[in-house]
Each structure stands twice: as structure tokens, then as C-alpha cells.
Amino acid sequence: NWMNLRDADSGKVLWQGTEDLSVPGVEHEARVPKKILRCRAVSREINFSSEEQMNRFRLEQRVLFKDKCLEEWFFEFGFVIPQSTNTWQSLIEAAPESEMLPASVLK
């Protein structure tokens, strides 16, 4: 299975990973290219398989910078059919520019 992040406008893949994300309670790290910060919106696509039925499958995503949480999102997939492979796509839109950190802070 896999996960990728795309520029939502162009569809260009900016990052892709194939790490096993199926172990519950384990935090996973993705180092994405800084050009992702220029995107108006990012599409995240996850392909996953499940042997078991899941009634409330969800994903928590945190953006950390220097060990501080800058952003946090919670996504609900809902019901997952047992013995299935699924693809889940979510759109993450950038905050208005007035709410963004200045690039000089990110150095």
C-alpha cells in the first residue's frame, strides 16, 4: 500500500511513500519537500488494505516544526469493509496568506 501528496492544481506528485501504516498507535514521519508550502491546496491519497472490518477508521495528521505542532487535522473515513483494499483522497487547502508563517521563520 502507499500514500502520496500532490499539488491539487497540477496533479503533480510531490511526495510518495510505501511505509506500512497499518500498525495502530504508531506515529509515522514523512519529510516532504518545502515546495509543498507554495501549493494552494494539497491532495493526500492513501491506499490501504484491511483484513478486519473497521467501524470508525480515522486519520490524525500533525505538522511539526522544531518539535512544535503547527497544524493538526482529523479525518474520518468511516466504515471499512473486511478483506478490502481502498483508496482515500483528501483535499487540504492552505490557510489565507495572512495566517501563514513567514518563510523567514522556517529557516
Side-chain angles (χ1 to χ4, degrees):
N1 298 96
W2 46 266
M3 181 170 91
N4 68 40
L5 299 172
R6 296 175 186 264
D7 178 325
D9 292 328
S10 70
K12 181 179 179 187
V13 174
L14 302 172
W15 177 87
Q16 183 156 334
T18 57
E19 180 182 353
D20 181 2
L21 304 173
S22 66
V23 180
V26 173
E27 186 175 293
H28 300 276
E29 181 177 311
R31 294 188 178 267
V32 298
K34 60 184 170 185
K35 65 183 170 185
I36 204 166
L37 297 172
R38 291 193 293 267
C39 295
R40 183 189 60 76
V42 173
S43 169
R44 183 196 53 233
E45 193 172 20
I46 301 173
N47 176 271
F48 65 96
S49 299
S50 178
E51 290 296 317
E52 306 290 325
Q53 173 180 312
M54 291 186 273
N55 292 317
R56 288 190 59 222
F57 181 58
R58 61 189 296 248
L59 172 72
E60 297 178 11
Q61 179 175 328
R62 291 178 189 87
V63 175
L64 303 174
F65 180 69
K66 296 186 178 179
D67 295 324
K68 291 189 179 180
C69 185
L70 298 180
E71 297 178 316
E72 187 172 39
W73 297 286
F74 300 95
F75 299 91
E76 295 280 338
F77 183 84
F79 180 76
V80 177
I81 298 169
Q83 300 179 348
S84 64
T85 296
N86 307 275
T87 301
W88 178 14
Q89 186 175 33
S90 302
L91 184 67
I92 303 166
E93 295 182 287
E97 193 168 335
S98 62
E99 296 177 24
M100 299 292 252
L101 285 174
S104 60
V105 173
L106 300 175
K107 291 183 178 179

